[in-house]
Amino acid sequence: MKEFAGNKKENSDHQKDLDVNEDKTLVDVEKEYKTIHLGGLYENWFLDYASYVILERAVPDVSDGLKPVQRRILHSMKDLDDGRYNKVANIIGHTMQYHPHGDASIGDALVQLGQKNLLIDTQGNWGNILTGDGSAAPRYIEARLSKFAKEVVFNKKTTHWKSSYDGRKKEPINLPIKFCLLLTQGVEGIAVGLASKILPHNFNEIIDASIAYLQEKEFALYPDFLTGGLVDVSKYNNGLRGGRIRLRARIEKSDKKTLVIKEVPFGTTTSSLIDSILVANDKGKIKIRKIDDNTAANVEIIIHLAPNVSPDQTIDALYAFTQCETSISPNSCVIENQKPVFLPVEEILKKSVDNTLGLLKKELEIKLSELREQWHFSSLEKIFIEKRIYRRIEESESWEEAIAAIEKGLLPYRKVLLREITEDDIIRLTEIKIRRISKYNSFKAHDLIRKLEDQIKEVQYELDNLIDYAINYFSNLKSMFGEEYPRKTEIRNFDNIQASMVAVASQKLYINREEGFAGTGLKKDEFICDCSDIDDVIVFRKDGSYVISKVSNKFFVGKDVIYIDVFKKKDDRTVYNVIYRDGRAGAAFAKRFKLSSVKRDTEYTVSQGNEGSKLLYFSANPNGEAEIVRISLRPRPHMRKTHIEYDFFDLLIKNKSSKGNRLTKFTIRKVVKKEDGVSTLGAVKIYYDDTVRRINSEERGQFLGDFKGHDRILCLMKDGSFELVGFDLSIHFSEDMIDIQKYNPDQIFNLVYFDGNISKFYLKRFKIPSDVPSNKRTSFITEHKDSFVYSYSVSDAIELVVQFDDYVNQKEYPPITIDVNDFIAVKSYSARGKRISNYAIKKMFFENMVMEDESLNEEDV
């Protein structure tokens, strides 16, 4: 670059040389002066620029976890710190002494630091990360360093310095931060050719992991966000490239017609989330009536559903089609030894702890050196005064003689000191005032020296046991600041939501059988069913062919359509019962099959594919029903029966390409359904997965039982209510649920609850009748704000053990055991029950009764 640009003097000399050497050829000139190609210059310049952006602007340093602008802001705030708030405009102006990129970049970085609520104590309107509102102007808001920042960030004695960009000031190369700030705050930066995206983690979990590393134990770290919400970290990949986390808003059902969003995913705001919901509603993916945004200090977005819309299906649709679910791909790129490197978050923590360990050691060594120096001079001063060496100054005629006399007087005491006596020590002794010498107290001096010796031993012990000292340091940080930073984002495993299963059927499907077209735009033709614009449609024709196509405004399905409906992917319950004729004059076959894996827009056939084949009977059964049909045969001479009955129950379910079973060799004239059948499919095994609060049939979590038909699930809630629901896999179960089980109308519940009306404990026994409506919360305790469920059991032979306070009416009262069956009979779930005791109860618990078997006697044993 310098060779290319040069300067005026060089250019002038160059021109003179050309004038003098006009007789030289161009080849001679090229040999004498180096030729620089423009492309090479651009390449070098771009590399210099990219390196500068990476090292000096966008990517944090692994040692202190800060970008240069953040480091300069904190250094400036330390310069200005007097315990009071400073105007942000003043902080920005002061930081411009160190940061050469203008006030806008400083102001933005300062607001981002303040919103992370860790290093900066803010005052005024600093914006809202929940709503996306910006902060007030710098002249209106104020800031100062937090107590945590003062505790862990600064120490001039361990800081290395460099000159600022203009050489007028000194700024830290790195701040001596004794904490993993990088993982706690997180960072995002885009450089030239690479980017960094490190997610924030929980304060207390960082400390616990630091202690675990020092103790040589295993640890794991997962992101935590100020916005709360839910996170799936199963593919976090330790924060490295290729990893991904999924984030979800926290959505609760207020009632059947209302959903409430109480926390939003990191990286979104209430405004952007509401916009995405409105867009999804406009596109027909979900159906809502209106949205109210009541967000203030906490998020509260109220979604009012349209009539006849399932709240559970809407929750899934919100996750599938809106910003209620987002994903983030981390990329932990940091600067180490002036080079960008990619490190997993666990390695970043280890390096931070190692750095903290080095800083703590350095601080202890400095403190030990200072204590030794203080002990050295205190001892020297004691000798100087008590041995009256200061009198030798009077006998000296010059300064040099006085120094020499004092040195000679101290010579016999060199062995009791920690180091050699220097000329600076002697000069410092001569500066002691006569008044201090006259009031010198040997006892106080001795006590001071002993205290210093104790402190030296203590610091030396801490140095010798540096690991334990570092563990205590981290533990003290947690005790001082940990309560302010609880985990806000709940870690869960998310189930995958199939968009086509949760999309609202906002479109209507029509068919024109004469022309062979179907679609949502044929509104003057025959209505088939409701659908969504992302559904697939399955079509069966009379010739036995069938095809699956995507819903659109108008698409060709062919003529002679006998069945058309929305096709559900991965549906293992729907069974198709068919009877077809093979070819123009072939035999008739019956078959039952499922369609689980088919390709879109590919022609399939029910028959064997021979020309002239025809469907004689067709039915689609959503739960595998097997009906009975009546088959009319074309009469022939000597034919005894012209009608036969066929039960599909006797036919096995096979794959879609199977031939089927031969029905008859005679020609079939007509087939009609005679009788509806029952399901031939077994009961569905249902499990409850507490991590996602959903039921499934994939053997994940707690087994609830075998479900079929109208079986229901019973949910017991913390507030003393229950709810009966179906076994639809899309149901979201409430977070205040305390138990879930298959509903049994004969099940007896033994319940202890606290009645808030009279502040006493009650015992009741009840059954839940089958006529209780589904999907409705019903209370089984008194409706008082202080009433709550204490304990319950579903065992038949059971006792309740009641322990009282140590003293009742100034007398010790022993525990009692209540036979629940004798204490109270089984009554309605709405009955109050029977009071357990009037005395103050300390503890209660159910235990099974030991039943004696009367059929056994001693001889049998």
Side-chain angles (χ1 to χ4, degrees):
M1 182 175 177
K2 290 182 179 178
E3 288 181 296
F4 177 78
N7 53 48
K8 292 183 178 180
K9 185 176 184 303
E10 290 175 349
N11 291 339
S12 177
D13 293 342
H14 187 191
Q15 185 63 41
K16 289 180 181 178
D17 291 339
L18 291 176
D19 294 339
V20 172
N21 301 292
E22 290 180 354
D23 56 334
K24 292 183 179 180
T25 65
L26 184 59
V27 175
D28 294 332
V29 173
E30 288 183 352
K31 287 182 180 180
E32 186 174 348
Y33 295 96
K34 182 181 178 181
T35 302
I36 302 174
H37 297 285
L38 195 60
L41 286 173
Y42 280 136
E43 182 180 350
N44 293 334
W45 289 346
F46 186 79
L47 184 60
D48 291 341
Y49 169 70
S51 301
Y52 176 77
V53 173
I54 293 170
L55 298 176
E56 295 295 330
R57 297 185 69 175
V59 184
D61 196 291
V62 72
S63 62
D64 61 2
L66 298 172
K67 296 180 183 180
V69 64
Q70 297 171 330
R71 189 179 301 117
R72 289 159 180 162
I73 288 171
L74 294 174
H75 174 59
S76 295
M77 293 185 71
K78 182 64 175 175
D79 283 347
L80 295 171
D81 184 46
D82 57 1
R84 297 178 296 176
Y85 288 99
N86 283 287
K87 288 286 187 183
V88 167
N90 188 24
I91 297 172
I92 292 173
H94 195 275
T95 307
M96 290 181 69
Q97 298 177 93
Y98 308 101
H99 194 66
H101 299 291
D103 59 334
S105 62
I106 299 171
D108 292 343
L110 180 55
V111 169
Q112 290 176 13
L113 278 176
Q115 289 178 340
K116 290 176 179 177
N117 193 30
L118 183 65
L119 299 177
I120 297 178
D121 184 8
T122 61
Q123 184 169 273
N125 178 15
W126 280 68
N128 191 329
I129 60 173
L130 301 176
T131 62
D133 295 335
S135 64
R139 62 185 179 274
Y140 297 124
I141 56 178
E142 297 177 325
R144 64 183 177 187
L145 292 172
S146 67
K147 293 180 180 179
F148 174 76
K150 293 178 181 179
E151 180 72 27
V152 304
V153 175
F154 306 100
N155 189 337
K156 290 185 177 180
K157 296 175 182 178
T158 58
T159 303
H160 297 288
W161 305 87
K162 65 178 181 180
S163 297
S164 61
Y165 68 95
D166 60 0
R168 289 187 173 94
K169 295 283 185 178
K170 293 290 183 182
E171 63 174 305
I173 298 174
N174 291 115
L175 287 172
I177 297 178
K178 302 183 290 295
F179 182 76
C180 192
L181 194 65
L182 179 56
L183 295 183
T184 307
Q185 289 194 138
V187 72
E188 184 172 357
I190 300 175
V192 179
L194 58 80
S196 179
K197 193 177 188 68
I198 300 175
L199 304 179
H201 296 70
N202 181 259
F203 180 93
N204 293 300
E205 292 172 10
I206 290 288
I207 291 180
D208 292 339
S210 301
I211 294 174
Y213 170 60
L214 291 171
Q215 295 174 338
E216 298 182 352
K217 297 179 181 179
E218 295 184 357
F219 63 90
L221 288 171
Y222 300 112
D224 184 29
F225 306 101
L226 291 175
T227 54
L230 313 173
V231 61
D232 185 341
V233 296
S234 57
K235 297 181 180 179
Y236 184 43
N237 194 31
N238 226 342
L240 289 171
R241 289 178 296 180
R244 183 175 73 101
I245 65 169
R246 295 165 63 193
L247 296 161
R248 283 184 178 177
R250 188 181 295 276
I251 307 176
E252 298 180 1
K253 289 186 288 185
S254 177
D255 53 50
K256 291 183 179 180
K257 299 180 180 179
T258 311
L259 301 177
V260 181
I261 299 176
K262 294 194 171 182
E263 294 173 2
V264 298
F266 176 73
T268 66
T269 63
T270 55
S271 300
S272 63
L273 190 142
I274 290 173
D275 289 343
S276 70
I277 294 174
L278 294 176
V279 168
N281 183 65
D282 293 341
K283 291 183 177 180
K285 301 291 194 302
I286 58 176
K287 276 188 178 181
I288 61 172
R289 188 163 55 85
K290 67 173 182 175
I291 298 180
D292 295 327
D293 186 5
N294 298 334
T295 302
N298 299 311
V299 173
E300 186 179 4
I301 300 173
I302 302 176
I303 302 175
H304 302 274
L305 304 181
N308 302 319
V309 172
S310 165
D312 292 298
Q313 184 178 355
T314 304
I315 290 175
D316 283 342
L318 288 171
Y319 288 142
F321 301 116
T322 73
Q323 288 188 8
C324 287
E325 178 175 330
T326 61
S327 64
I328 298 177
S329 298
N331 186 20
S332 57
C333 178
V334 295
I335 300 299
E336 184 180 23
N337 299 325
Q338 292 297 300
K339 292 181 180 179
V341 294
F342 296 92
L343 298 176
V345 294
E346 291 181 6
E347 188 65 26
I348 291 174
L349 179 94
K350 290 177 181 179
K351 289 184 178 294
S352 173
V353 174
D354 291 339
N355 182 60
T356 300
L357 207 61
L359 290 170
L360 291 174
K361 181 180 180 182
K362 195 171 183 180
E363 289 179 357
L364 288 174
E365 288 173 345
I366 292 172
K367 184 178 180 180
L368 182 62
S369 177
E370 291 174 346
L371 288 172
R372 284 178 171 174
E373 280 297 309
Q374 192 176 350
W375 182 93
H376 173 79
F377 187 75
S378 296
S379 301
L380 204 60
E381 183 184 62
K382 188 173 185 294
I383 296 169
F384 180 71
I385 296 175
E386 289 183 351
K387 303 303 180 182
R388 301 182 183 277
I389 298 175
Y390 60 87
R391 290 188 173 181
R392 300 193 178 196
I393 299 175
E394 301 174 0
E395 301 171 0
S396 303
E397 296 182 357
S398 66
W399 173 254
E400 289 77 10
E401 288 182 8
I403 297 296
I406 294 172
E407 184 178 8
K408 185 177 180 181
L410 295 173
L411 200 59
Y413 308 101
R414 288 183 303 172
K415 294 181 180 180
V416 300
L417 300 173
L418 295 176
R419 62 170 175 82
E420 292 294 328
I421 302 170
T422 64
E423 185 176 345
D424 290 338
D425 293 334
I426 298 173
I427 293 173
R428 188 177 173 188
L429 289 173
T430 62
E431 295 173 352
I432 299 175
K433 295 181 179 180
I434 298 297
R435 183 178 180 182
R436 183 178 173 188
I437 294 175
S438 64
K439 292 185 176 183
Y440 187 77
N441 188 323
S442 297
F443 295 105
K444 287 185 178 181
H446 181 70
D447 289 342
L448 174 62
I449 291 173
R450 286 188 60 184
K451 289 180 181 178
L452 290 172
E453 290 173 349
D454 291 340
Q455 292 178 20
I456 289 172
K457 289 180 182 178
E458 182 180 350
V459 174
Q460 187 61 56
Y461 177 81
E462 291 168 346
L463 272 171
D464 295 338
N465 299 273
L466 188 61
I467 299 296
D468 292 336
Y469 177 75
I471 291 174
N472 289 333
Y473 171 79
F474 283 117
S475 299
N476 289 335
L477 283 182
K478 185 174 182 179
S479 63
M480 291 169 62
F481 306 104
E483 291 184 0
E484 301 176 25
Y485 304 103
R487 170 167 274 278
K488 293 191 174 183
T489 305
E490 182 181 348
I491 297 176
R492 280 195 191 174
N493 290 326
F494 296 165
D495 50 344
N496 291 317
I497 298 174
Q498 191 173 342
S500 59
M501 299 295 290
V502 299
V504 173
S506 58
Q507 303 288 333
K508 295 185 181 297
L509 180 65
Y510 303 88
I511 186 172
N512 186 321
R513 298 182 185 275
E514 294 181 0
E515 297 181 4
F517 285 95
T520 57
L522 308 178
K523 297 184 179 181
K524 294 182 180 180
D525 295 306
E526 178 187 349
F527 170 72
I528 299 298
C529 62
D530 293 325
C531 66
S532 71
D533 56 3
I534 62 172
D535 279 337
D536 288 327
V537 173
I538 186 168
V539 175
F540 285 87
R541 309 183 188 99
K542 287 184 179 180
D543 62 358
S545 63
Y546 64 94
V547 66
I548 294 173
S549 303
K550 187 176 182 355
V551 168
S552 63
N553 190 54
K554 184 178 180 180
F555 58 99
F556 184 73
V557 295
K559 298 183 180 181
D560 296 329
V561 172
I562 63 170
Y563 177 82
I564 178 171
D565 201 356
V566 172
F567 177 72
K568 298 178 181 179
K569 298 177 182 177
K570 299 181 180 179
D571 180 9
D572 61 352
R573 302 288 294 180
T574 299
V575 176
Y576 300 96
N577 300 336
V578 299
I579 297 174
Y580 71 91
R581 184 188 69 210
D582 182 28
R584 297 188 183 276
F589 291 83
K591 64 186 289 187
R592 303 182 72 206
F593 62 96
K594 297 179 183 180
L595 291 177
S596 56
S597 58
V598 288
K599 294 181 180 179
R600 186 184 290 168
D601 299 325
T602 299
E603 291 282 343
Y604 296 91
T605 181
V606 169
S607 67
Q608 300 169 45
N610 295 319
E611 187 178 355
S613 296
K614 182 180 179 181
L615 278 183
L616 303 175
Y617 177 82
F618 175 90
S619 68
N621 306 279
N623 201 33
E625 292 83 359
E627 65 271 24
I628 299 175
V629 295
R630 180 180 178 85
I631 304 173
S632 300
L633 304 177
R634 189 179 298 278
R636 293 180 60 182
H638 309 294
M639 179 183 289
R640 294 183 180 181
K641 292 184 179 181
T642 58
H643 297 280
I644 59 175
E645 291 183 358
Y646 185 78
D647 191 348
F648 277 100
F649 187 87
D650 300 326
L651 189 61
L652 294 178
I653 300 172
K654 297 185 178 181
N655 61 51
K656 62 179 183 291
S657 59
S658 67
K659 181 179 179 180
N661 291 358
R662 182 168 178 171
L663 268 179
T664 177
K665 63 181 180 180
F666 299 112
T667 304
I668 294 177
R669 184 170 58 87
K670 183 174 63 172
V671 181
V672 295
K673 182 193 290 188
K674 178 184 178 183
E675 184 179 324
D676 290 332
V678 295
S679 175
T680 57
L681 301 178
V684 182
K685 294 185 180 296
I686 297 296
Y687 297 78
Y688 174 68
D689 188 347
D690 184 59
T691 58
V692 297
R693 298 190 179 277
R694 300 282 287 273
I695 56 174
N696 65 86
S697 58
E698 300 169 1
E699 300 185 3
R700 300 194 314 268
Q702 171 192 350
F703 178 64
L704 297 183
D706 296 322
F707 286 75
K708 58 182 180 180
H710 300 290
D711 286 341
R712 293 186 288 179
I713 294 173
L714 171 64
C715 307
L716 298 180
M717 312 299 180
K718 291 179 181 178
D719 62 358
S721 64
F722 68 87
E723 185 176 3
L724 294 175
V725 299
F727 55 99
D728 186 353
L729 301 185
S730 67
I731 296 175
H732 287 256
F733 290 92
S734 174
E735 294 187 3
D736 67 342
M737 184 176 66
I738 58 176
D739 193 16
I740 181 173
Q741 55 186 267
K742 184 179 180 180
Y743 168 63
N744 178 6
D746 297 324
Q747 179 68 63
I748 298 174
F749 290 88
N750 308 297
L751 176 76
V752 173
Y753 76 95
F754 183 79
D755 188 345
N757 291 310
I758 57 176
S759 300
K760 296 295 180 182
F761 285 97
Y762 278 75
L763 174 64
K764 63 186 293 185
R765 303 177 71 217
F766 62 92
K767 295 181 180 179
I768 298 176
S770 58
D771 59 354
V772 173
S774 297
N775 303 314
K776 180 181 179 181
R777 280 206 180 192
T778 306
S779 180
F780 54 83
I781 65 174
T782 54
E783 295 182 356
H784 188 277
K785 63 181 182 66
D786 294 328
S787 297
F788 64 90
V789 175
Y790 182 84
S791 182
Y792 73 95
S793 174
V794 294
S795 179
D796 293 333
I798 198 167
E799 295 176 330
L800 177 66
V801 179
V802 183
Q803 296 178 357
F804 300 93
D805 282 344
D806 293 339
Y807 292 92
V808 178
N809 295 334
Q810 298 181 348
K811 294 182 180 180
E812 188 173 356
Y813 202 85
I816 62 173
T817 301
I818 298 174
D819 186 330
V820 173
N821 296 330
D822 295 338
F823 187 76
I824 187 172
V826 177
K827 298 182 179 181
S828 168
Y829 67 84
S830 59
R832 169 172 283 188
K834 187 175 180 179
R835 187 183 302 177
I836 295 173
S837 176
N838 288 323
Y839 296 127
I841 296 174
K842 180 180 181 181
K843 183 180 179 182
M844 292 177 287
F845 57 90
F846 287 107
E847 64 177 15
N848 291 337
M849 297 173 61
V850 179
M851 304 298 293
E852 295 183 0
D853 191 342
E854 297 179 355
S855 64
L856 294 177
N857 53 40
E858 293 183 0
E859 293 180 357
D860 295 327
V861 180

